[in-house]
């Protein structure tokens, strides 16, 4: 039996503003309760835990001043500046 590995592309947008920055990633079709996010320095560590998938994804941030939120499958990290 051949093992098949599924890889999903994670689309991440990065936007610079006059007063900071925003990094957003669409995690659809994951539910908010299947994902946890922790900002560690200049990295947002996204942990996915579902019955079919358990993984971590690192998302690079412009600096270490980010605060993460997750709503309706969209991860948003914004600078605290």
């Amino acid at each position: 039996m051949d093992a098949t590995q599924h890889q999903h592309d994670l689309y991440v947008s990065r936007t610079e503003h006059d007063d900071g920055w925003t990094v957003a990633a669409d995690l659809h079709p994951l539910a908010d309760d299947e994902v946890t996010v922790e900002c560690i320095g200049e990295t947002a560590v996204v942990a996915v835990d579902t019955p079919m998938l358990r993984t971590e994804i690192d998302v690079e941030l412009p600096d270490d001043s980010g605060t993460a939120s997750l709503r309706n499958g969209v991860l948003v990290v914004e600078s605290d500046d």
Side-chain angles (χ1 to χ4, degrees), residues 21-64:
W21 51 264
T22 302
V23 174
D26 185 359
L27 303 176
H28 180 79
L30 297 171
D32 292 355
D33 64 350
E34 297 174 327
V35 178
T36 56
V37 180
E38 184 176 356
C39 292
I40 302 172
E42 296 180 1
T43 304
V45 179
V46 181
V48 177
D49 188 6
T50 72
M52 301 296 290
L53 177 66
R54 178 176 266 171
T55 189
E56 286 187 3
I57 304 163
D58 292 344
V59 177
E60 290 184 40
L61 305 174
D63 61 42
D64 63 355

Side-chain angles (χ1 to χ4, degrees), residues 2-25:
D2 292 333
T4 303
Q5 183 177 26
H6 296 281
Q7 181 175 353
H8 300 282
D9 292 328
L10 180 65
Y11 177 74
V12 178
S13 69
R14 293 172 174 83
T15 307
E16 297 286 332
H17 308 282
D18 291 337
D19 59 347
W21 51 264
T22 302
V23 174

